[in-house]
Amino acid sequence: MKVKILIIFFFIFLIQKSDAGFINGFDNYQPPREVRAPVELLGTLINQEVEYPYDWGRDALIDTSLLYDFDGDYDEDNGWLWVVLAPPYDSVFRIYRSTDRGIHWTLCYEFRHTPRSLYPKVGMVLGRGDSNYVYVFVLHRGSNNTGDILGVKIKFDLSAFAGFIVTWDNDTINDFSVCKDFRSNYGLYCIASNEHRGGNNTKFYRSFNYGQTWDSQTGYNIFDPHIVFGTGSNLFLTSVRPTRDTLFFQRNNNYGAPGSWRDLTILHSSASRKYCPKVSPAFTTPDSWATTWVLYEMDWLNTGDIDIWYAVRSHAWGDTWRRSNMLSVSTLLDERVPDVKYYKSIGNIYVNASYIIYDSSYTETSYVYSRWSDANSPFNWHEINKVNDSGTQVGTWFGPKTCGPKIIYSPGAPAPGGGVLYARGYGYYLPKGLYFDAPWFPSAIEREKEYKTKILKINNISQKEIAFQFTKEVSEIAIYNLEGKLVKSFINKEKQIIWNGKDNFGRDVATGIYLIKFKTDKRKFTQKFIYLR
């Protein structure tokens, strides 16, 4: 009798552990339909370059706001970088773009919906190669504060945009993930979960007409979903159970179609809670054989000691998973919110990962680290690089799992690897200010020199006259000698100043090296120049 009872409990345990993910068949499939909602998308074209901050450093400042969430992607053709972010105090989301691999950023658009909503989570996908749109997805509070997925598609040249709707119903969505495939079929994919309950709490959506209509399938017991495509028709999904004791992986081998879901795989099952899984295959062919990594947080024995673990699968050992590997583990520090991404270049075997490491007392400086691995040596994670500038903190929202660092590449950059988007922190690691750093960035001195040359041009127009031409309005313009003594001051705010080589008393100055100092609305500058009589 005891044996029968044990067998029954064993089967119940297996059912509970495996009752998650997507099942094959068309019973839970809804054909494509256009979703309508009583909301209107309003957009403002800004197209203005961002100025550098006072705290000049190696990292590039994109936005100074307190942040709810952010995401980014890159154009695999020209290396341009794109970012979407949403602040928690204003009902807008903003689109930024960099055309020089992240060194300078332009605020392109600011969007909002009516009725207005905060946007606690955002996502971005670039449709280069098929639709040639930048797709932005946002979590809108919906009617009655339910939570729905809305979006906007933007032309790469910023000439037009249009809104679309993925979901608008009574179910409460509070987490989602988006991706695209890399075939010319205009495929967009979104998985959205209601993490207030288990059961059939998740919908998987697909669109093959620029977001106009979406089909759907129902998923079960899915928390913290993350999806990504390989080089072909394979969609990769990772998630955790609502009880957070089990980490899953599942693959669909036909562009997310119903009936094409492979068996659910348990990657890690233990009492320790798991969070924030991220999956990435190497960008190799065939993608069903691609070496695949899943990174995740684990709260060791639920003691509050949080570390980064990973599982990896390789065709070299029969497409089986090697589980419970430690990427960054410490009893003194906590490691959180991992990200892992491939390089969108077919045949590329590398992935880059990032995560935050911090002192759990919330009093010490926290850091963003980045590392890389490859399909040939998938357990070998190289070169722990600290991303954020020395003396700065990193911010994130640990509860809703947003504002974690994001890997973003730039093809053709002068140094290999991925850059990292991250939020700086203040006051218990609240995320404030979005920054970008990359291995190809010039030094702070080089960047300041480059920036000054964009503001000020110095030309000799005659034997005794020099023209100072400014590209923006400046003030407090003055010329000093190398001893720091004032030679000549100017009171006007014109964009061109002509100096005839005389000081404030009308006396000719000698040939030599001088300093011109000026101030923009953001900061003060000093530039050396040579005066010849």
Side-chain angles (χ1 to χ4, degrees):
M1 185 65 180
K2 291 182 179 180
V3 174
K4 290 182 179 180
I5 293 174
L6 288 174
I7 292 173
I8 291 171
F9 276 113
F10 177 72
F11 278 106
I12 290 174
F13 174 80
L14 287 181
I15 291 171
Q16 289 176 336
K17 288 294 183 181
S18 60
D19 183 21
F22 292 89
I23 60 173
N24 283 320
F26 287 81
D27 293 341
N28 64 354
Y29 174 73
Q30 296 292 327
R33 65 186 182 95
E34 184 176 1
V35 181
R36 298 185 181 276
V39 293
E40 180 184 4
L41 176 69
L42 303 175
T44 303
L45 177 64
I46 299 174
N47 202 19
Q48 178 179 346
E49 184 176 335
V50 179
E51 293 193 4
Y52 285 105
Y54 290 104
D55 57 337
W56 195 279
R58 191 165 181 265
D59 302 344
L61 173 66
I62 302 173
D63 190 284
T64 60
S65 303
L66 190 68
L67 299 172
Y68 227 153
D69 195 20
F70 61 86
D71 197 14
D73 201 356
Y74 68 95
D75 189 325
E76 54 263 42
D77 285 2
N78 56 25
W80 291 5
L81 311 181
W82 294 77
V83 166
V84 57
L85 62 86
Y89 57 82
D90 197 3
S91 303
V92 300
F93 57 98
R94 304 185 185 115
I95 312 300
Y96 288 85
R97 180 181 70 183
S98 173
T99 60
D100 61 358
R101 310 188 191 285
I103 297 175
H104 304 96
W105 291 85
T106 297
L107 175 58
C108 300
Y109 272 103
E110 186 172 272
F111 291 100
R112 62 183 176 89
H113 288 93
T114 56
R116 305 193 75 160
S117 168
L118 296 175
Y119 304 97
K121 190 173 179 64
V122 297
M124 173 174 279
V125 171
L126 262 64
R128 175 68 76 185
D130 45 35
S131 63
N132 291 319
Y133 283 114
V134 177
Y135 294 94
V136 176
F137 297 77
V138 296
L139 178 58
H140 188 279
R141 290 300 190 185
S143 60
N144 301 319
N145 203 36
T146 55
D148 289 286
I149 309 298
L150 309 182
V152 58
K153 52 189 178 185
I154 308 164
K155 282 291 188 182
F156 279 99
D157 61 3
L158 308 181
S159 62
F161 69 86
F164 60 87
I165 301 170
V166 182
T167 73
W168 190 268
D169 53 37
N170 293 323
D171 201 5
T172 302
I173 294 171
N174 54 355
D175 199 2
F176 73 91
S177 177
V178 294
C179 67
K180 58 161 269 189
D181 62 52
F182 296 91
R183 301 291 177 89
S184 297
N185 58 5
Y186 312 99
L188 295 172
Y189 306 83
C190 175
I191 185 170
S193 294
N194 177 356
E195 296 183 357
H196 297 289
R197 60 178 175 85
N200 56 344
N201 70 321
T202 298
K203 290 288 185 67
F204 173 65
Y205 301 91
R206 303 183 304 161
S207 176
F208 298 99
N209 54 6
Y210 312 103
Q212 181 178 349
T213 62
W214 297 81
D215 68 8
S216 68
Q217 301 168 56
T218 300
Y220 298 88
N221 289 332
I222 294 175
F223 273 33
D224 297 4
H226 183 243
I227 54 174
V228 68
F229 253 91
T231 57
S233 62
N234 281 270
L235 173 76
F236 300 82
L237 162 68
T238 186
S239 63
V240 299
R241 280 183 60 83
T243 52
R244 298 197 174 278
D245 58 352
T246 308
L247 172 71
F248 294 111
F249 171 83
Q250 194 169 18
R251 181 170 59 90
N252 184 297
N253 64 0
N254 187 23
Y255 299 102
S260 298
W261 294 96
R262 304 300 93 193
D263 291 339
L264 193 72
T265 301
I266 296 176
L267 299 184
H268 196 159
S269 182
S270 68
S272 299
R273 289 186 288 265
K274 290 93 180 162
Y275 302 88
C276 304
K278 295 293 178 66
V279 58
S280 178
F283 212 62
T284 54
T285 57
D287 56 352
S288 60
W289 291 2
T291 300
T292 305
W293 294 261
V294 173
L295 276 59
Y296 56 100
E297 292 181 12
M298 189 169 73
D299 185 351
W300 178 250
L301 298 179
N302 303 325
T303 60
D305 179 16
I306 299 176
D307 305 300
I308 304 297
W309 293 61
Y310 71 98
V312 61
R313 182 195 72 160
S314 174
H315 190 64
W317 53 74
D319 294 318
T320 58
W321 286 89
R322 303 288 174 88
R323 298 166 170 83
S324 302
N325 305 288
M326 296 179 289
L327 177 63
S328 183
V329 175
S330 171
T331 57
L332 301 177
L333 300 169
D334 284 335
E335 296 87 354
R336 308 277 315 244
V337 286
D339 189 33
V340 60
K341 282 192 175 70
Y342 50 60
Y343 197 98
K344 291 185 284 189
S345 174
I346 292 180
N348 195 293
I349 64 173
Y350 297 96
V351 294
N352 274 247
S354 64
Y355 52 91
I356 294 176
I357 184 168
Y358 69 100
D359 178 84
S360 55
S361 68
Y362 297 96
T363 59
E364 301 294 333
T365 300
S366 52
Y367 302 104
V368 174
Y369 284 158
S370 71
R371 306 176 71 174
W372 62 271
S373 185
D374 65 80
N376 293 333
S377 304
F379 298 103
N380 190 6
W381 290 89
H382 304 264
E383 298 181 12
I384 300 178
N385 299 307
K386 186 174 78 69
V387 175
N388 54 305
D389 288 340
S390 297
T392 64
Q393 286 190 328
V394 179
T396 188
W397 296 107
F398 295 127
K401 310 178 294 293
T402 58
C403 284
K406 306 290 194 307
I407 297 291
I408 184 169
Y409 296 97
S410 183
V420 180
L421 291 165
Y422 77 94
R424 285 196 181 166
Y426 81 103
Y428 298 100
Y429 304 138
L430 295 179
K432 187 177 188 298
L434 182 61
Y435 288 78
F436 179 70
D437 194 12
W440 57 83
F441 265 27
S443 69
I445 295 175
E446 291 171 334
R447 289 180 61 204
E448 182 163 9
K449 186 185 300 182
E450 177 192 1
Y451 187 53
K452 284 190 293 188
T453 59
K454 292 186 66 175
I455 297 177
L456 172 63
K457 303 291 184 183
I458 302 176
N459 298 306
N460 292 305
I461 58 176
S462 69
Q463 185 175 357
K464 295 183 178 181
E465 291 183 322
I466 293 181
F468 302 98
Q469 294 177 310
F470 300 93
T471 58
K472 60 176 59 183
E473 186 175 282
V474 299
S475 60
E476 301 181 16
I477 308 169
I479 294 173
Y480 294 80
N481 60 25
L482 290 180
E483 297 175 351
K485 295 181 180 179
L486 178 65
V487 175
K488 178 69 176 178
S489 57
F490 302 89
I491 60 174
N492 59 332
K493 293 185 178 181
E494 296 180 4
K495 289 191 175 182
Q496 177 169 293
I497 298 294
I498 296 177
W499 184 46
N500 58 7
K502 297 183 181 295
D503 63 15
N504 282 332
F505 302 99
R507 298 172 299 196
D508 291 331
V509 302
T511 295
I513 299 175
Y514 293 85
L515 306 174
I516 180 169
K517 298 184 178 183
F518 58 93
K519 180 182 178 182
T520 68
D521 59 345
K522 295 290 184 182
R523 55 178 302 216
K524 296 180 179 180
F525 291 92
T526 301
Q527 178 65 50
K528 286 183 180 181
F529 69 95
I530 298 176
Y531 177 71
L532 300 174
R533 296 195 64 82

